[in-house]
Amino acid sequence: MVDEVLIFSRSLPFHHLGGMEVVAWDLAQQLQISGFDVKVITTDFDTVIPTSENTPQIIKIKNIPKAEYSKGWWKETENISAEWANKEKVRAVISISAGAFSVLKLKPQFPNAKFIMQAHGTSVGEFVSKLKTRQLKKLLSSIKNVLGFYSDAKHYCYFDKIVAVGSAVSEDLTSFPTRLICDKNKVVKIENGIDEYLFSDDASSKKTLRQKLNISPESLVFLSASRLHEQKGVDNNIELFKQIRKLKPNSKLLICGSGPHEQQLRKKVDTWNLGEDVIFMGAKTRYELANIMQCADIFLFLTKRVEGLPLNVLEAMSAGLPLIISDHLTFNSGEKIFKCHPSHFPINEIYRYIDTVLLKERKSYIPVKNTLSYSVGEYISLFRRTSK
C-alpha cells in the first residue's frame, strides 16, 4: 500500500511564480518521484501543465478566489479532508504556510499522518519588514500581520513539526515574541532546495543565447531575476548597473520578472538613457530562467526586503554565477559573493570584485544542504523519524 502525502497550498507556480510556490511544487514532484502518492490541494488555475507518471495529482478548488486565502478556501479544504477516503493511508499532511490551518481540527481522523507546516516567514517578521519601509500603505497593511500572529497562536500548537525554510525563518520562530506561541522543539530547519540538475553550471549554450539576444560575446552581462515589486530592489540593481557602465560601457543588464513596479523601472531606465543596455525579458519559467543564466556573467539582487532564503540567489549559485547582493541577506561573503548596502554601493570595491571574479572558473558552489535532492531526503527522513 503506497503512502499518501497531502499538500495544501493556496498557490503554485501555475498561479504566479514565487518562492513559496516553487518550493511547494518542487517538494510535491520529488516526493512523488520518491514513491509517495502525492495529492496537492490548491485553488483553480487556467494553465495547462504537462503531466507524466511522476506528476502529482492536483486537486483544484473552484469558485473561490484564486491564489488567496478566503472563507471558501477554509471551508473547502476542511470538507475535502473530512471526506478523504482511506485516511489511514496518509503518511503526512503538509501545510504550505497557513494552507492546512482548517484541516488541523480533523487531525485525529488521520491516525498515521504527521501534520507538518512549511514556514516561509512569520507574522512578526513580515510586520517588522513593513515597518522598515516607512511607507504608509505598508504600515497600514501591517495590521493584517498583527491579526496573523493571533491566528498563528491558535494553530501552531497542533502541528507535529514546523519546518523553517531558512535560518532567518528559524530564528524568527524561536525568538520573542513568536517563541511564546511556537514550541521550539517542534521547529526543524530544512532549507530551500534547488534542482541542481536544472540550474547547472553548464554554459554550453552561452554563445547561441547571446546571439539570439543580440549581445556580443565580449559583453559583461548582469542578470536580475525576481518579481518586479518595489521591495525586491530591482531599481537598486539598475542604479548599480548605471554606475558600473561608466567604467565598463560594454555591459548589459537582463531583467527577468514581472510585477507592479515594472512601469516605474522602465521609466527609470529611459530617464537614464539605458534603454539599449537594459533588456526587460518578462516573466520566465524556471526552465527558461535556467537557460538564460547560461549567458550571464554576474547576478544582482539588491533587495530591500528581509528575505528568508531567496531561491533566486540559490539558483544563481547552483548555476555558478558570482553574486552582488544585499548585506542583510544571510549568505556569507566569499570569493564569489560580494555583499553591500542595497542602495549605497562601494563602487571601487565592486569594480575590483568584478575584475577578480571574472577570472575564476564558472562552477556551481551551492551548499549540498540547499540542493533539492538533499532537502527532499530530509522531509522523507522527517516522516520516518516522527512516525507513530
Side-chain angles (χ1 to χ4, degrees), residues 6 64 69 99 128 148 151 179 184 189 239 304 355 363:
L6 308 184
I64 65 171
Y69 294 131
V128 172
S151 177
R179 70 185 182 197
K184 68 177 183 180
K189 185 172 73 170
E239 185 167 347
K304 305 167 189 175
D355 290 338
K363 187 176 181 180

Side-chain angles (χ1 to χ4, degrees), residues 8-63:
F8 292 83
S9 181
R10 64 179 177 180
S11 55
L12 295 170
F14 319 113
H15 295 90
H16 55 77
L17 198 61
M20 183 181 77
E21 289 76 17
V22 166
V23 170
W25 184 241
D26 277 355
L27 175 62
Q29 288 183 297
Q30 291 301 312
L31 286 175
Q32 183 78 22
I33 291 171
S34 298
F36 292 92
D37 183 7
V38 181
K39 307 291 197 304
V40 183
I41 298 87
T42 189
T43 57
D44 198 12
F45 59 84
D46 300 323
T47 306
V48 177
I49 61 172
T51 60
S52 69
E53 61 181 353
N54 290 324
T55 302
Q57 180 183 347
I58 298 176
I59 300 173
K60 302 177 184 178
I61 303 178
K62 301 181 181 296
N63 302 316

Side-chain angles (χ1 to χ4, degrees), residues 158-321:
Y158 294 104
F159 285 104
D160 297 297
K161 292 292 180 181
I162 297 178
V163 174
V165 299
S167 297
V169 180
S170 179
E171 184 175 346
D172 281 351
L173 286 168
T174 55
S175 299
F176 182 85
T178 308
R179 70 185 182 197
L180 299 176
I181 63 171
C182 180
D183 183 352
K184 68 177 183 180
N185 295 316
K186 291 185 177 183
V187 177
V188 178
K189 185 172 73 170
I190 303 178
E191 297 190 353
N192 289 334
I194 298 302
D195 186 340
E196 63 270 35
Y197 301 104
L198 175 61
F199 290 91
S200 74
D201 52 21
D202 175 32
S204 58
S205 300
K206 182 175 182 177
K207 183 177 179 180
T208 302
L209 290 167
R210 289 199 174 193
Q211 286 177 341
K212 289 181 178 179
L213 294 171
N214 198 27
I215 297 174
S216 72
E218 296 77 23
S219 291
L220 174 60
V221 179
F222 296 87
L223 175 63
S224 168
S226 69
R227 189 161 181 259
L228 303 188
H229 187 283
E230 195 275 335
Q231 281 294 295
K232 291 296 183 179
V234 182
D235 54 339
N236 293 336
N237 297 344
I238 295 171
E239 185 167 347
L240 174 59
F241 174 76
K242 182 188 71 168
Q243 295 190 40
I244 291 173
R245 187 170 162 273
K246 293 176 182 177
L247 191 64
K248 300 180 181 295
N250 192 23
S251 297
K252 302 289 182 182
L253 172 61
L254 307 181
I255 297 178
C256 293
S258 61
H261 204 50
E262 181 170 348
Q263 290 307 312
Q264 293 95 314
L265 295 172
R266 287 182 176 274
K267 184 177 180 180
K268 187 181 289 289
V269 167
D270 291 339
T271 299
W272 288 339
N273 297 315
L274 296 173
E276 294 186 2
D277 297 319
V278 177
I279 304 172
F280 286 86
M281 307 285 290
K284 298 296 178 184
T285 67
R286 298 183 74 218
Y287 295 97
E288 291 170 333
L289 179 58
N291 198 35
I292 290 170
M293 282 189 173
Q294 289 194 37
C295 75
D297 295 305
I298 295 177
F299 189 82
L300 305 180
F301 189 50
L302 295 170
T303 177
K304 305 167 189 175
R305 187 176 183 272
V306 177
E307 307 274 350
L309 193 64
L311 292 182
N312 58 352
V313 174
L314 293 174
E315 289 164 351
M317 293 170 71
S318 186
L321 286 176

Side-chain angles (χ1 to χ4, degrees), residues 349-364:
E349 291 181 37
I350 290 175
Y351 284 145
R352 288 193 292 271
Y353 166 74
I354 292 172
D355 290 338
T356 300
V357 81
L358 291 178
L359 298 175
K360 298 185 181 299
E361 178 186 7
R362 177 161 181 159
K363 187 176 181 180
S364 176

Side-chain angles (χ1 to χ4, degrees), residues 331-342:
F331 302 92
N332 294 324
S333 298
E335 64 176 15
K336 285 193 173 184
I337 301 178
F338 186 94
K339 299 178 70 174
C340 63
H341 191 280

Side-chain angles (χ1 to χ4, degrees), residues 121-140:
T122 66
S123 298
V124 173
E126 286 291 327
F127 179 78
V128 172
S129 181
K130 289 176 180 178
L131 288 182
K132 287 182 178 179
T133 68
R134 298 182 181 179
Q135 297 178 10
L136 180 59
K137 185 177 180 180
K138 292 290 184 182
L139 293 175
L140 292 174

